[in-house]
Amino acid sequence: MATASVAFKSREDHRKQLELEEARKAGLAPAEVDEDGKEINPHIPQYMSSAPWYLNAERPSLKHQRKWKSDPNYTKSWYDRGAKTFQAEKYRKGACENCGALTHDKKSCVERPRRIGAKWTGKSIAPDEKIETFELDYDGKRDRWNGFDAASYAHVIQRYEARDEARGRYLKEQQLKKLEEKNNNRDEDGVSDDEDNDDSLKVDEAKVDESKQMDFAKVEKRVRTTGGGSTGTVRNLRIREDTAKYLLNLDVNSAHYDPKTRSMREDPLPDMDPNEKFYAGDNYNRVSGQALEFKQLNIHAWEAFDKGHDVHMQAAPSQAELLYKNFKINKENLKYQTKDKIMEKYGNAATEEVLPRELLLGQSEKEVEYDRAGRIIKGQESALPKSKWEEDVYINNHTTVWGSWWRDHQWGYKCCQQTVRNSYCTGAAGIEAAEAAVDLMKANIARKVATEDSAVEPEEKRLATWGSEVAGDLELDQIKLAEALKKEDEKRREEKDERKRKYNVKWNDEVTVEDMEAYRMKRIHHDDPMKDLLH
């Protein structure tokens, strides 16, 4: 047998360890125990993680695979649920304003909100909760069953045991009845169908067998494999020929399908003929058949309990259903009595007139149910729920709501087309006045534009060459202008050739209009590209 390899400080320690093992084998020394107080089997090697089956060991003996050092600070206890510590008689400062408990504030209070809190009434002060803190170890923090009370499952076991007992009694009663019938038939006919009776009893026993009932949704089928056929279990969740509800309409904007709950509340094919489709959404089942009757029964039980009747749907369902039936009968009787009284007093005008042929032939098989407010409860159309905000509230004599009209990036009222929120409705007269004002404004703008286009352009002043203004009625003498041009040519020739210039030069300071015009005509323009070809 192999032994554990342990490192000793000296050879003497090794010898003492061997003597101690021999004494334990002979029964002269006490056996070695672990931290739990249990005896350690010396025949199990200490280095083995799992002991052999023939040694009858309860657990592995390798110490480093077990937690042999336990922290005393860790605990395995759990919270005391629902425990209360102290109940005060009056409100304390810093306590919950709603219930008066000192262990939480008003925001964290789980009790029903009171109309007047305990802070102001000082009555019905709730007791303080027991607050505990634990320091859990690694396993305790991750234990999902920590704090679970196994005794709370006892009522489930009792219910199943009672069901089994009732089932056994029922089976025995059925067997006794069949035995009596068999004896009677034997006495009368002299022939008995033992095989049929035995088969029926076997069927009843098969019904009682829970092990077979558990596999009611399983189908045994042969699964082909490479190594030959093998029997496998396949769950038959639904008939495979039926189309899945999420494949009825592949449009992205169609009814929403929740894959987690496998529910599709709205109708995936609302435009399809109701007589042809087999699925109209989960909400259709909630408002049809016995589901609606059960809902009305619950509502009647709640209303009756609020009015003082001792009715509880879960505690006494038969009593609640009987009261609901009596309520419907009394309601119908009262309705007919009221109708008869009105007809006796005022007469029935509906029977005197014959209904038009259009109304008689305009009937339909579609059933639509409305409530007193005119909302659709049941029918082809889905009922649109009202929001908690105010709807269809008309103010200041308006017949439409704010936001029913839009123009030029502004919201307004459609009835009067005003864009001021709290304005008074002026109706059609206000619309006509607004349109007239707009037309007048457009006419004024057009007239202003026309006057600007037809404005008198400023008269361009004619300036003479020397910078003074030229009169509009100025006329040049052509003869004098020709002479002035000749003088200008001679003057230019003299400037070009200084030798032809006379010694005694006469100078005349008088400049006429013709002279200025001749100078202007003979002047050289430096920007003129043809200036070099002029002279």
Side-chain angles (χ1 to χ4, degrees):
M1 182 66 68
T3 58
S5 59
V6 182
F8 298 98
K9 295 182 179 180
S10 61
R11 186 173 295 179
E12 186 66 22
D13 295 338
H14 190 193
R15 185 182 61 79
K16 291 181 180 180
Q17 181 67 22
L18 293 176
E19 292 178 356
L20 182 59
E21 290 179 0
E22 293 294 334
R24 286 173 178 167
K25 291 179 182 179
L28 301 178
E32 186 180 0
V33 295
D34 57 4
E35 67 272 8
D36 296 333
K38 293 187 178 182
E39 181 180 354
I40 297 177
N41 194 337
H43 299 286
I44 301 177
Q46 299 299 314
Y47 56 84
M48 295 177 64
S49 62
S50 60
W53 61 270
Y54 52 83
L55 294 180
N56 297 325
E58 296 181 359
R59 64 174 65 87
S61 60
L62 200 59
K63 282 190 175 182
H64 73 268
Q65 290 192 356
R66 291 179 290 128
K67 186 177 180 182
W68 54 280
K69 286 185 179 181
S70 60
D71 194 344
N73 296 328
Y74 293 148
T75 179
K76 294 183 179 180
S77 58
W78 197 246
Y79 301 100
D80 191 2
R81 299 181 183 271
K84 309 294 182 181
T85 56
F86 174 73
Q87 185 172 6
E89 297 180 356
K90 61 180 181 178
Y91 181 78
R92 295 160 293 177
K93 185 178 180 181
C96 177
E97 297 180 1
N98 184 41
C99 65
L102 196 61
T103 52
H104 62 268
D105 54 357
K106 182 179 179 181
K107 187 177 181 180
S108 304
C109 186
V110 296
E111 288 194 8
R112 177 182 58 84
R114 304 181 185 180
R115 182 177 299 176
I116 302 176
K119 179 180 179 181
W120 296 275
T121 59
K123 298 177 180 180
S124 301
I125 304 296
D128 299 340
E129 294 89 354
K130 184 179 180 181
I131 299 178
E132 300 175 281
T133 56
F134 301 112
E135 187 176 358
L136 302 176
D137 55 354
Y138 182 86
D139 295 331
K141 293 177 181 178
R142 291 156 179 82
D143 187 6
R144 59 182 299 184
W145 296 101
N146 197 355
F148 174 74
D149 186 9
S152 61
Y153 196 73
H155 67 281
V156 181
I157 299 175
Q158 293 176 1
R159 184 179 63 184
Y160 277 90
E161 290 178 353
R163 188 186 67 176
D164 294 340
E165 292 178 1
R167 185 178 294 171
R169 288 195 301 269
Y170 174 76
L171 179 60
K172 289 181 181 180
E173 292 175 0
Q174 295 296 326
Q175 288 178 351
L176 291 175
K177 288 181 180 179
K178 290 182 180 180
L179 288 175
E180 291 178 359
E181 293 177 357
K182 183 174 66 174
N183 293 332
N184 295 332
N185 294 333
R186 183 181 300 174
D187 295 338
E188 294 177 359
D189 302 336
V191 179
S192 62
D193 299 333
D194 294 338
E195 295 180 359
D196 297 339
N197 294 332
D198 293 340
D199 293 339
S200 62
L201 291 177
K202 290 180 181 178
V203 170
D204 292 337
E205 291 177 358
K207 290 181 180 179
V208 178
D209 191 1
E210 291 185 355
S211 62
K212 293 182 180 179
Q213 285 188 359
M214 292 173 62
D215 298 332
F216 72 95
K218 295 182 180 179
V219 177
E220 298 291 338
K221 61 182 294 187
R222 302 287 292 181
V223 181
R224 293 183 178 180
T225 58
T226 56
S230 62
T231 302
T233 302
V234 179
R235 287 198 172 273
N236 187 13
L237 299 178
R238 61 177 176 83
I239 302 176
R240 298 298 173 179
E241 289 78 11
D242 292 343
T243 305
K245 61 179 72 175
Y246 53 85
L247 296 178
L248 294 176
N249 192 351
L250 300 180
D251 188 6
V252 180
N253 298 324
S254 62
H256 174 68
Y257 174 74
D258 187 10
K260 185 175 182 180
T261 58
R262 296 180 182 178
S263 62
M264 183 180 287
R265 296 172 178 83
E266 297 181 358
D267 189 0
L269 299 172
D271 300 332
M272 188 177 178
D273 187 7
N275 298 325
E276 296 181 359
K277 61 183 177 183
F278 64 95
Y279 181 76
D282 297 339
N283 287 341
Y284 182 80
N285 299 328
R286 295 182 181 179
V287 294
S288 62
Q290 296 182 353
L292 186 59
E293 297 178 0
F294 183 74
K295 181 180 179 181
Q296 294 175 354
L297 178 59
N298 281 326
I299 294 174
H300 175 264
W302 297 336
E303 293 176 353
F305 182 80
D306 292 337
K307 293 179 181 179
H309 296 280
D310 189 10
V311 181
H312 198 279
M313 186 62 196
Q314 281 72 29
S318 301
Q319 179 187 5
E321 187 174 1
L322 183 60
L323 289 175
Y324 181 61
K325 288 182 179 179
N326 296 335
F327 169 76
K328 289 195 295 184
I329 294 172
N330 296 334
K331 184 179 179 180
E332 290 292 329
N333 295 335
L334 182 62
K335 184 174 67 174
Y336 286 121
Q337 290 177 5
T338 307
K339 183 178 180 181
D340 294 338
K341 289 180 181 179
I342 294 174
M343 291 175 64
E344 289 177 1
K345 187 173 183 180
Y346 300 102
N348 189 3
T351 58
E352 297 177 359
E353 299 178 0
V354 180
L355 293 176
R357 187 176 181 85
E358 293 81 11
L359 294 179
L360 293 175
L361 298 178
Q363 298 178 356
S364 175
E365 296 294 332
K366 296 181 180 180
E367 181 182 357
V368 182
E369 185 177 353
Y370 300 88
D371 60 357
R372 293 185 178 181
R375 294 184 292 266
I376 297 177
I377 298 177
K378 175 184 175 183
Q380 299 296 332
E381 300 179 5
S382 59
L384 298 176
K386 286 273 188 177
S387 64
K388 66 179 181 178
W389 312 107
E390 292 183 349
E391 296 183 8
D392 300 335
V393 177
Y394 307 119
I395 60 174
N396 296 337
N397 202 28
H398 288 285
T399 57
T400 56
V401 295
W402 170 261
S404 59
W405 189 68
W406 168 268
R407 185 175 181 181
D408 296 337
H409 303 281
Q410 288 183 341
W411 293 104
Y413 296 98
K414 186 178 180 181
C415 55
C416 57
Q417 297 183 2
Q418 294 195 49
T419 57
V420 180
R421 179 65 181 272
N422 294 324
S423 61
Y424 193 81
C425 183
T426 56
I431 297 176
E432 294 176 358
E435 292 178 353
V438 172
D439 294 340
L440 181 60
M441 183 177 64
K442 290 181 178 178
N444 293 336
I445 293 174
R447 186 167 58 254
K448 183 179 180 181
V449 172
T451 54
E452 290 179 356
D453 294 340
S454 61
V456 179
E457 296 182 358
E459 185 179 357
E460 185 177 0
K461 296 181 179 181
R462 296 176 58 190
L463 299 178
T465 308
W466 55 88
S468 60
E469 294 183 2
V470 178
D473 55 352
L474 177 65
E475 294 181 0
L476 299 175
D477 190 356
Q478 298 299 328
I479 300 174
K480 292 181 179 181
L481 180 60
E483 294 178 356
L485 289 174
K486 290 180 180 179
K487 290 180 181 181
E488 187 68 22
D489 291 338
E490 293 176 357
K491 182 181 180 181
R492 290 181 179 274
R493 282 195 297 270
E494 290 178 357
E495 290 179 356
K496 288 182 180 180
D497 191 0
E498 293 290 338
R499 293 176 298 178
K500 294 181 178 180
R501 182 178 180 183
K502 297 180 179 180
Y503 181 76
N504 296 321
V505 179
K506 295 181 180 179
W507 188 262
N508 188 7
D509 293 335
E510 294 180 1
V511 179
T512 62
V513 179
E514 288 77 5
D515 295 338
M516 292 301 300
E517 187 67 18
Y519 171 75
R520 184 184 64 80
M521 294 173 66
K522 295 294 183 179
R523 185 182 58 181
I524 296 175
H525 300 278
H526 297 282
D527 297 335
D528 189 1
M530 305 293 291
K531 62 181 180 179
D532 297 333
L533 304 176
L534 293 176
H535 303 287

